[in-house]
Amino acid sequence: MNIAFYPYWAAKTLLSLINVIYIMVITTFIYGQTGSVLYAALFPFIQMTSRIVAGLTAPLLVNRFVFSRLIISIPLTKTLLITGIAIAFTDLTAHIPLLLVGVTILSFMDGWESPLLNTLTPRLVQGEDLVKANSLLSFSNQTVTIIGYAMTGFIVMHWGASQTFWAAATLSWVVLLLMSMISSLTRDNQELMEKSASKRDALREGWIMLWKNRSLRLITFMDLVEGLAGSIWIGAITLAFVKEALGQEEGWWGLINSSYAAGTILGGVVAIVLATRIQRHLISSMAIGSLVFSLLTVIYGLNSLPWLALVLCVLMGPAYQIRDVAQQTAFQSSVPVESLSKVYAAHQIILSTAMSISTVIFGLIADQLGVRLVYVIGGALFMVSALCSFSLNRVKRSKDTTTHSHNS
């Protein structure tokens, strides 16, 4: 594996941890200062909206500036902003709107940075190592996210919001150093970005590729369906399920979350061990992972036994991780690396919008029709994704046949 992958792996992992820290700190800080759920809810809303707008404008950025400059300048801007917020944190106590402005700019930078970083994986790793790289990235990101959410609340209680935010600022400088290392190690193969003739072409290119490439179109539709279904695991719905379906108190909510976290970590290990097989059978891995996850989700939704719910949550982890790693690798393999950032920007907008809408829809379903139906619908959506894998397999076979006939 390319030596530059390892600082990139470390940077991506630390970015996941930084994201968790600043989300937790700012949410608890705003709620603690205002006592308003509305103000606290504004934070994730602003974050999601800013990322969507950033995704719309990211192709212009890629078309205008050199890639090697972007992967340094964006982390530098984020680091300076996070450090500035850390320095002024105490003074922001009486200026929540000003803090939200900082969050908006930071979220905008995240929306620009994400598609650029995602393009680095296939740039740094090729062939059979791509699944292994995606498995390692998924495993470390999921692990630090889970640990981060578990520990940050505890740390904020004992250290305070300001001191905890300084941890995010310090880690941001480490990420900036790592990105500088990546830039110097990959300078020879960075300038592969295709420049579009006009701003309009730059904005449309990613969307056109998503639509015209049958494999990409199917994978994006699968991600869209799974993004809609993914909202069934938000905290409020899980808590409602524990109380209404399992007949347990809030303590079991924590156990369910812990079991799902354990399953996710276990799934990351399984994906790493099976990386070579997943690479050889990408589409089959996607289909099997989605199918198993959908069945487990439906059983979970219909189940009334608390201990069985914990077991099902653990079992979901490997199925989800195998599907996710295979799907990510198939997506990366379907796009020329020089166009990948523009395609990822369009892809990010679709998924962010889907998750925003589905959160509201599933909340209404849980309130009006019962929380069990939420998981049954979620399982059905994952089943749709599994069925799409078979269509993707036919597309691949058709493409292979066409390639073979041309070569003959």
Side-chain angles (χ1 to χ4, degrees):
M1 217 177 292
N2 190 324
I3 191 171
F5 171 76
Y6 296 101
Y8 167 64
W9 181 19
K12 284 271 284 185
T13 303
L14 288 178
L15 281 170
S16 296
L17 182 57
I18 292 166
N19 194 47
V20 170
I21 292 172
Y22 99 77
I23 286 174
M24 289 284 287
V25 169
I26 291 179
T27 301
T28 54
F29 173 75
I30 291 174
Y31 183 73
Q33 292 298 314
T34 65
S36 169
V37 176
L38 176 60
Y39 263 111
L42 273 177
F43 173 49
F45 174 77
I46 289 172
Q47 192 179 36
M48 191 68 70
T49 304
S50 300
R51 286 180 180 233
I52 290 172
V53 176
L56 287 169
T57 58
L60 293 177
L61 201 71
V62 171
N63 206 54
R64 176 72 175 80
F65 297 101
V66 177
F67 184 80
S68 56
R69 184 179 298 177
L70 288 175
I71 64 169
I72 295 298
S73 58
I74 293 176
L76 174 60
T77 305
K78 283 181 60 182
T79 299
L80 292 174
L81 182 58
I82 291 174
T83 304
I85 292 174
I87 292 170
F89 204 92
T90 305
D91 296 329
L92 290 172
T93 301
H95 301 89
I96 299 297
L98 189 59
L99 179 60
L100 292 175
V101 170
V103 167
T104 302
I105 299 171
L106 196 55
S107 301
F108 209 89
M109 292 293 161
D110 283 337
W112 277 346
E113 184 181 54
S114 181
L116 290 173
L117 287 180
N118 286 335
T119 66
L120 275 172
T121 308
R123 283 169 178 268
L124 300 177
V125 184
Q126 289 82 36
E128 293 190 358
D129 285 336
L130 189 54
V131 166
K132 183 179 179 182
N134 282 324
S135 299
L136 289 169
L137 287 167
S138 179
F139 170 71
S140 59
N141 288 345
Q142 294 279 359
T143 301
V144 299
T145 298
I146 290 164
I147 293 172
Y149 276 117
M151 295 298 296
T152 303
F154 177 80
I155 293 171
V156 168
M157 281 182 11
H158 287 78
W159 285 8
S162 179
Q163 293 298 321
T164 307
F165 201 86
W166 267 110
T170 304
L171 291 174
S172 294
W173 286 101
V174 177
V175 169
L176 182 60
L177 177 63
L178 290 169
M179 294 306 295
S180 301
M181 291 173 58
I182 296 164
S183 182
S184 62
L185 288 170
T186 61
R187 198 172 298 279
D188 292 338
N189 68 348
Q190 282 178 352
E191 314 313 332
L192 299 172
M193 312 298 291
E194 285 188 351
K195 305 298 180 184
S196 303
S198 67
K199 290 181 179 180
R200 183 181 178 186
D201 289 339
L203 290 171
R204 294 170 56 199
E205 184 180 336
W207 296 96
I208 290 171
M209 289 192 71
L210 279 181
W211 180 252
K212 287 189 173 180
N213 186 315
R214 291 180 66 192
S215 296
L216 273 182
R217 191 164 69 235
L218 272 169
I219 294 170
T220 301
F221 178 73
M222 292 165 66
D223 281 337
L224 172 62
V225 169
E226 289 158 9
L228 291 170
S231 297
I232 66 177
W233 298 107
I234 62 173
I237 291 177
T238 308
L239 179 58
F241 182 83
V242 166
K243 290 193 162 193
E244 295 175 21
L246 300 181
Q248 301 296 317
E249 296 301 320
E250 285 86 349
W252 272 86
W253 184 34
L255 288 175
I256 291 289
N257 290 331
S258 298
S259 298
Y260 193 78
T264 301
I265 294 172
L266 174 63
V269 175
V270 171
I272 293 169
V273 172
L274 298 178
T276 303
R277 291 188 181 183
I278 294 172
Q279 179 70 54
R280 290 175 185 166
H281 308 285
L282 274 181
I283 297 174
S284 299
S285 299
M286 290 162 57
I288 293 170
S290 293
L291 185 62
V292 172
F293 192 83
S294 69
L295 292 174
L296 290 173
T297 303
V298 171
I299 295 169
Y300 177 87
L302 298 175
N303 168 58
S304 298
L305 300 174
W307 65 268
L308 182 57
L310 298 180
V311 173
L312 290 169
C313 284
V314 173
L315 294 177
M316 286 177 195
Y320 179 83
Q321 289 291 78
I322 289 171
R323 177 211 64 80
D324 189 55
V325 167
Q327 209 152 302
Q328 177 85 325
T329 305
F331 187 93
Q332 293 165 346
S333 303
S334 300
V335 187
V337 70
E338 63 270 14
S339 301
L340 197 53
S341 61
K342 295 174 184 177
V343 176
Y344 261 124
H347 188 258
Q348 174 180 286
I349 293 167
I350 293 171
L351 295 192
S352 297
T353 305
M355 290 187 69
S356 300
I357 295 170
S358 65
T359 300
V360 177
I361 292 173
F362 278 122
L364 288 171
I365 292 172
D367 281 343
Q368 302 299 320
L369 302 174
V371 73
R372 285 190 186 276
L373 185 59
V374 168
Y375 289 95
V376 174
I377 293 173
L381 288 171
F382 279 108
M383 186 72 72
V384 170
S385 176
L387 293 174
C388 286
S389 299
F390 296 106
S391 297
L392 187 62
N393 196 35
R394 285 198 299 271
V395 171
K396 184 178 182 299
R397 285 179 181 175
S398 174
K399 191 180 294 184
D400 291 343
T401 302
T402 303
T403 304
H404 179 72
S405 62
H406 283 318
N407 292 337
S408 301

